Amino acid sequence: MDRLDRLRGPEPPRPHDARAIAALAANPGCARRAVLDAAGVDKDAVATHLGFPAPFGRSPFAITRGDAFEALVKEGGGAELLRLLRELLGLPLPLAGYTDLADVGGNPSAHLRHSHTRRLIDRAARDAGEAATLYDHPLLRLEIAGYHSYLEPDVVAFQLGGRFHIVEIKSFAVVDGQAEPDKVAAAARQAAVYVLALSTLLAELGHDPSRVSHEIVLVCPENFANRPAATLVDVRRELAVLRRQLARMTRVGAIVEPLPDTLTFDLGRDDGGVPRRPVAELRSAVREVGARYAPDCLNTCDLCFFCREEAAEAGATDLLGRQVRDELGGVATVAEALALADGSLAPDDDRAEIARLLRLADRLYAEVS
Amino acid sequence: MLEISGTGGNHWYAPGVSETLDALEARISALRGEIRRAVRARDGALARELRAELRGAERAWDRAVAGPEAADPAAGTTERAGEPASLLPVREQVHQALTLIGAPAAARMIVAVHAALHAGSLGGGRLASLRRDEERSFRGAPYARPYYLCAALTDRLSASRGLFAVSTWPLERRVVGPLSPRVDFLTTAVRVAEHVLRLAEAGEPAAPGAERLLARLARNVPGATGGPGRPGVPAAPDPRTVVKAAHAELRVHAAADAAARADIAGRARARLGDAERLFGGLPLGLAEASC
């Protein structure tokens, strides 16, 4: 743990939200991200200090829209949600209980809210007769690399066959039964984080963790109206990736071990909180840990522009996307690939096959153009 | 109510065009003066009302100056400018809406019901500080007002987030058990449907907002919309069907909900003082003790 603290510097570790944890699962091969996240480094501040501020922070319009849609779905004791669950899962009529777990009066701490959630979920798992059906604003907890992160799923629904379902409310539209695959995948990854946190909670309380369904209920506006519709999404795959990634983070020591002892991502903030560390020094520190850039990073990682710049400088094949990079296995740069294609670079044994393909592609390209 | 506002709007430009314009200009400048005074007195709510009225008057002026053919009386009937009803204090308007709903309601629902059934608009933001003001008023001089807008009580006897209630209601109606949000929602649907029905029986045309609200509520009451055959088609639901369907589901929940409410109300009576019973008790200690 000391090692990670040293990497981070004197600042407190940054808590992870579900979005950040889900992003971890999106690029499991990136050592840079694994190390920075495990150490709880504020990646946004690092990227800004390096001169590559990330395009993050969602648009305020998107946030307002999301909040308004969520409020619509939960209005009147979850009236819309009950209708959807009755249609989708055949929820029987008498099960209509609704408990707002954030409603503990005043503005209490995350810790208090979490213990309240724990108590009520425990009661629900123990005695189905007394449980409510919808639990709004539960606060779950997940241990990430030794630190607790608090997570707030939209709704947890219970008693659909004695199992808990995570309900995720998203404001992107499902038009004619189709939604943007990227957004659905992101929602599924995020929901998988909640599923994991809830099953961990049940296991801690001594219940069967498999009572959390791996099918989540995704609620989106249907077609061009604001009317919500629900679908079941299976998140088993996302859950498996997430488990593996989190296990990897706890074993992050193996990645950290070969790094120099003096390495730190401390920004050297002065009393006013302004970063004072020389940019060149920080840059070489960040470069000590290898990244695995892919164009998808632009959607999920604060350091994306820095890594893209680095990949462009090196002329790396990473820039061309995962699929091309994997096809060009063993060829690290674009220049190398071109040299292999026009025969100016003689391939060694390992790359004979890919060189043959590249020369073929080059010949075809010459004929066509 | 819209009828009255229509005639009220029309008489401005009924006599001669120039005379109307003079009257309107006088009204506009008077309104501007009132807005200045309201802003100086930091009465944001009143200033907003007046600004809305000013915009209405300016639109009427635009119509009048454009000539009599543009001054379509039909357009005047949809104008709500200068509506006397909307000059009621916010707490009166909220009380009206809550009395109609007959159950604790969130700000959104109050605004929706008010917009649908009464003329004049009630901004959601104006409800934000209402409960705190009411509590201060009550603690200053208990029971000085005939009613207070107070909180609904959760099963931890703390004030429920965002729910408004009326102090004259029995405690059982003001507490929130696990099934109560659903029961209150169904009650709201019944009350709105009955209101639309009453209007229809009196021969009044139902406001389009009321029909829309009823349709929105009915969608989430099983069996209240003509049948599941036509999903996505916004048909106007029959208020009688809505009442019947909502009562049918209410019967399912009634016993369990009443028991939970009686339990919470009993605890509230035993543990809370007058002010806490209306505006919620100390949350933290009780939250630990009662769960």
Side-chain angles (χ1 to χ4, degrees):
Chain A
M1 227 62 263
D2 297 349
R3 189 71 196 276
L4 291 177
D5 287 339
R6 202 155 60 236
L7 284 173
R8 187 180 61 248
E11 290 169 50
R14 211 178 139 78
H16 300 77
D17 59 9
R19 212 172 256 274
I21 298 169
L24 273 178
N27 190 359
C30 184
R32 185 176 289 168
R33 173 144 203 173
V35 169
L36 266 71
D37 273 333
V41 175
D42 184 347
K43 293 198 299 298
D44 186 28
V46 169
T48 310
H49 192 52
L50 287 170
F52 295 94
F56 286 106
R58 293 155 69 202
S59 130
F61 301 108
I63 293 175
T64 313
R65 160 99 181 104
D67 288 351
F69 183 69
E70 193 180 324
L72 174 85
V73 173
K74 292 182 178 175
E75 202 180 20
E80 291 277 357
L81 201 54
L82 278 175
R83 172 177 65 80
L84 294 172
L85 292 178
R86 281 170 183 173
E87 285 170 7
L88 186 71
L89 298 161
L91 184 68
L93 209 56
L95 302 182
Y98 170 94
T99 305
D100 188 348
L101 291 172
D103 212 348
V104 288
N107 187 16
S109 65
H111 181 74
L112 181 83
R113 277 185 59 197
H114 174 66
S115 59
H116 185 56
T117 301
R118 247 177 115 89
R119 217 163 20 228
L120 287 201
I121 298 274
D122 184 34
R123 203 159 65 178
R126 220 173 278 289
D127 179 13
E130 249 192 67
T133 305
L134 300 176
Y135 290 97
D136 199 355
H137 302 115
L139 197 66
L140 304 173
R141 196 166 67 177
L142 199 60
E143 193 182 308
I144 310 278
Y147 294 102
H148 288 302
S149 293
Y150 287 100
L151 307 163
E152 195 176 336
D154 289 332
V155 178
V156 171
F158 178 56
Q159 285 198 343
L160 314 168
R163 304 183 80 181
F164 293 90
H165 288 250
I166 295 283
V167 179
E168 182 67 23
I169 302 170
K170 289 281 173 197
S171 60
F172 60 82
V174 176
V175 178
D176 200 17
Q178 301 280 312
E180 279 186 50
D182 288 4
K183 289 183 172 162
V184 178
R189 277 200 298 267
Q190 207 177 325
V193 178
Y194 300 137
V195 172
L196 184 63
L198 187 58
S199 41
T200 312
L201 175 70
L202 283 183
E204 279 170 17
L205 291 169
H207 301 294
D208 180 7
S210 65
R211 284 179 71 182
V212 184
S213 171
H214 53 74
E215 282 187 316
I216 61 124
V217 180
L218 180 63
V219 179
C220 293
E222 191 177 26
N223 297 340
F224 300 101
N226 217 11
R227 187 178 174 166
T231 23
L232 284 175
V233 179
D234 189 333
V235 297
R236 260 177 297 190
R237 198 190 144 268
E238 284 79 6
L239 208 54
V241 174
L242 186 70
R243 281 218 172 89
R244 160 156 169 68
Q245 187 66 357
L246 291 181
R248 200 161 163 268
M249 274 179 84
T250 50
R251 287 183 285 119
V252 79
I255 310 176
V256 176
E257 206 51 55
L259 299 173
D261 255 357
T262 49
L263 184 72
T264 173
F265 306 114
D266 184 12
L267 296 176
R269 291 184 193 275
D270 60 15
D271 296 341
V274 182
R276 292 290 179 207
R277 187 165 181 196
V279 174
E281 198 183 309
L282 181 63
R283 187 184 301 131
S284 52
V286 173
R287 285 193 173 178
E288 285 283 339
V289 193
R292 192 168 189 194
Y293 174 79
D296 317 5
C297 290
L298 293 177
N299 295 325
T300 48
C301 184
D302 299 277
L303 278 170
C304 57
F305 283 165
F306 178 76
C307 298
R308 182 171 71 171
E309 184 78 10
E310 191 187 44
E313 249 173 53
T317 49
D318 292 345
L319 278 178
L320 304 174
R322 279 200 185 135
Q323 203 185 344
V324 179
R325 185 189 62 197
D326 294 347
E327 296 268 329
L328 290 174
V331 182
T333 67
V334 177
E336 202 179 328
L338 289 174
L340 283 173
D342 62 19
S344 57
L345 181 75
D348 49 25
D349 287 352
D350 289 348
R351 294 186 293 185
E353 176 61 19
I354 183 74
R356 193 182 63 77
L357 284 174
L358 279 167
R359 274 199 297 277
L360 180 68
D362 186 54
R363 211 166 50 240
L364 285 174
Y365 192 70
E367 275 172 26
V368 174
S369 59
Chain B
M1 244 178 275
L2 289 175
E3 292 293 304
I4 300 165
S5 94
T7 50
N10 283 343
H11 100 270
W12 287 112
Y13 40 87
V17 171
S18 64
E19 195 186 330
T20 318
L21 283 172
D22 287 346
L24 275 173
E25 277 157 15
R27 173 137 183 80
I28 287 171
S29 65
L31 276 170
R32 286 199 175 123
E34 278 177 54
I35 290 174
R36 271 197 299 279
R37 272 193 294 283
V39 170
R40 211 173 303 140
R42 292 173 190 276
D43 189 345
L46 180 63
R48 259 194 302 277
E49 292 282 359
L50 290 170
R51 281 199 192 101
E53 212 173 315
L54 175 65
R55 277 194 296 278
E58 281 171 346
R59 274 199 295 275
W61 187 89
D62 284 345
R63 275 198 303 274
V65 84
E69 70 279 2
D72 180 6
T77 53
T78 57
E79 285 292 331
R80 284 175 176 181
E83 183 78 49
S86 64
L87 284 177
L88 280 174
V90 177
R91 69 185 298 266
E92 296 280 348
Q93 298 181 43
V94 172
H95 181 238
Q96 273 183 1
L98 276 174
T99 308
L100 195 140
I101 295 170
R108 274 170 72 92
M109 185 58 85
I110 293 172
V111 171
V113 167
H114 188 270
L117 304 176
H118 303 274
S121 59
L122 183 63
R126 289 157 63 185
L127 274 64
S129 59
L130 196 58
R131 222 163 66 181
R132 210 170 45 235
D133 294 345
E134 292 276 306
E135 180 169 2
R136 208 173 297 140
S137 154
F138 182 86
R139 287 187 191 273
Y143 299 113
R145 294 176 172 180
Y147 66 85
Y148 290 86
L149 298 175
C150 59
L153 297 182
T154 65
D155 65 342
R156 273 142 288 137
L157 308 183
S158 57
S160 162
R161 276 202 323 176
L163 287 183
F164 288 84
V166 181
S167 62
T168 50
W169 290 349
L171 200 49
E172 278 77 6
R173 208 196 292 180
R174 289 201 293 109
V175 296
V176 186
L179 281 167
S180 306
R182 183 67 187 165
V183 168
D184 290 345
F185 169 79
L186 292 168
T187 310
T188 309
V190 170
R191 300 289 282 257
V192 170
E194 282 172 353
H195 185 84
V196 170
L197 210 58
R198 266 199 303 278
L199 283 181
E201 274 164 8
E204 291 269 338
E211 299 246 309
R212 264 203 305 279
L213 176 67
L214 184 61
R216 211 164 56 122
L217 294 172
R219 206 165 67 195
N220 295 319
V221 180
T225 46
R230 299 182 303 159
V233 181
D238 175 28
R240 283 186 192 84
T241 323
V242 177
V243 172
K244 223 160 76 193
H247 274 308
E249 195 185 329
L250 272 174
R251 271 196 295 279
V252 175
H253 302 313
D257 185 49
R261 281 177 194 252
D263 168 51
I264 301 169
R267 274 191 287 137
R269 283 201 186 90
R271 295 194 202 170
L272 299 181
D274 282 358
E276 284 78 28
R277 218 178 283 168
L278 290 180
F279 298 100
L282 286 170
L284 299 189
L286 284 171
E288 298 296 349
S290 69
C291 287

